[in-house]
Amino acid sequence: MAYRITLIPGDGVGPEITEATRRCVEATGVKIKWDIEHAGVDIMEKAGTPLPKSVLESIRKNKIALKGPITTPIGKGFRSVNVALRKELDLYACLRPCKSYRGVRSKYENIDLVIVRENTEDLYAGIEFEEGKKDTKAIIDEIEKYSGKSINSDSGISIKPISITGTKRIVRFAFDFAVKNKRKKITVVTKANIMKYTDGLFLAVAKQVAEKYQGKIEYQEMLVDNMCMQLVQKPELYDVLVLPNLYGDIISDLCAGLVGGLGMAPGANIGKEIALFEPTHGSAPKYKGMNKVNPAAMILSAVLMLRYIGEKESAEKLENAVAKVIDEGKNVTYDLKQNSDIHTAVGTSQMADAIIGAMGK
């Protein structure tokens, strides 16, 4: 019986890397019936929104989605289609593995980190008040009344909600992931020394959750500024990091830089019943239609998807093929070539062909 999975090509380079990924997934032998839906700037004129209801309906029905990068229209509608998808579907856990593959240009080797980022709260909750508005003045007046602290009248205001409920479920997710995948250590990352009632709450709840995993997983706490320095100096000391939303976004990009950049950074957004898999990088519209962009991040996101649905052998088969093609360095895109060899780079589709070929060997 075939899996029914929502496929969202996205825009910019999205359709190219999505097609490359679809072919690679099908070459594993896993039977999938794709439910193709469109979101982003390319559907705006026709649908009147970058996120049509049909997209959400399809994902809710199928429970699994694979998505290419999407451009959010500037100044129109959603502040972010990606954020809207996560909030609408309550995809509270963002999973971003950062792993070294031999042949990728990087200053580091043997990196194997996993970022677990809370996806629905913190400053990304989108509760903002614009400078100069009547509501903003009222918020400022109330804050000054209750806090006794003054705020410049020409300020914009963002609200940073962090809850016990949201923190418990993301920290439990991180620990359960670590146990299931035989990881050794969880590091909780906050700025709890300064933001005592938000980050401080996150840290306090994390400690409570960690007590239930004593003897199974090592537990560690780190301030986010120190964490950035530690990851650059000695990333080998860390394993799984769990963070509030904003820090998770920043740290996951830092860790992607350790393994060669966003072109090698897969991602998953996971909720109680629904999971959406997508590369961490953006839509790069300037490269649209050029058959030039590295598809590895999206293909590796599909590897995460295959593992999630229980197709572990196929996931390993596909990941090993990606690793082999990159290591050989012959049929890879320009960013995966050594500087002196860049003229021999192949396109997105041709790299996918090589990965498919590597699975058959």
Side-chain angles (χ1 to χ4, degrees), residues 92-159:
Y92 66 88
C94 182
L95 188 70
R96 292 184 173 178
C98 295
K99 180 178 177 181
S100 296
Y101 289 91
R102 196 167 62 186
V104 177
R105 281 181 285 164
S106 174
K107 296 180 183 296
Y108 298 85
E109 295 179 347
N110 302 317
I111 302 295
D112 187 7
L113 296 163
V114 178
I115 311 304
V116 178
R117 166 192 173 193
E118 201 287 321
N119 241 354
T120 63
E121 299 192 316
D122 197 8
L123 288 170
Y124 282 19
I127 308 170
E128 291 197 292
F129 298 87
E130 186 179 353
E131 179 273 324
K133 299 292 185 181
K134 183 179 179 181
D135 288 350
T136 309
K137 183 181 184 305
I139 291 290
I140 290 173
D141 289 344
E142 288 296 299
I143 292 172
E144 290 182 341
K145 175 183 174 182
Y146 287 104
S147 71
K149 297 179 180 179
S150 63
I151 298 174
N152 288 336
S153 60
D154 56 355
S155 297
I157 301 292
S158 288
I159 305 296

Side-chain angles (χ1 to χ4, degrees), residues 79-80 82-84 86-87 90-96 115-127 159-163 166-167 169-171 188-191 198-199 202 224 241-253 269:
R79 73 178 60 215
S80 167
N82 296 327
V83 171
R86 294 164 195 165
K87 289 184 69 66
D90 197 25
L91 304 177
Y92 66 88
C94 182
L95 188 70
R96 292 184 173 178
I115 311 304
V116 178
R117 166 192 173 193
E118 201 287 321
N119 241 354
T120 63
E121 299 192 316
D122 197 8
L123 288 170
Y124 282 19
I127 308 170
I159 305 296
K160 177 188 170 94
I162 289 183
S163 69
T167 304
R169 67 180 184 175
I170 193 62
V171 178
V188 174
V189 184
T190 66
K191 192 64 178 171
T198 50
D199 287 29
F202 192 98
V224 64
L241 313 181
V242 58
L243 315 89
N245 206 334
L246 176 62
Y247 308 145
D249 192 9
I250 295 167
I251 291 288
S252 63
D253 273 24
N269 298 285

Side-chain angles (χ1 to χ4, degrees), residues 78 91 112 130 175 199 210 220-221 234 252 257 280 285 305 345 358:
F78 295 100
L91 304 177
D112 187 7
E130 186 179 353
F175 272 97
D199 287 29
Q220 181 184 36
E221 300 165 2
K234 40 194 172 185
S252 63
T280 299
M305 181 189 76

Side-chain angles (χ1 to χ4, degrees), residues 209-233:
V209 174
E211 289 176 0
K212 299 178 181 180
Y213 294 85
Q214 281 186 348
K216 296 180 180 179
I217 299 290
E218 182 184 346
Y219 172 75
Q220 181 184 36
E221 300 165 2
M222 190 75 67
L223 295 175
V224 64
D225 44 350
N226 186 26
M227 186 79 259
C228 291
M229 181 184 72
Q230 296 289 331
L231 286 168
V232 172
Q233 286 190 318

Side-chain angles (χ1 to χ4, degrees), residues 345-358:
V346 302
T348 306
S349 181
Q350 290 71 36
M351 183 170 169
D353 290 339
I355 291 168
I356 291 168

Side-chain angles (χ1 to χ4, degrees), residues 32 168 202 230 262 276 310:
I32 295 175
K168 274 186 178 178
F202 192 98
Q230 296 289 331
L262 293 177
L276 182 152

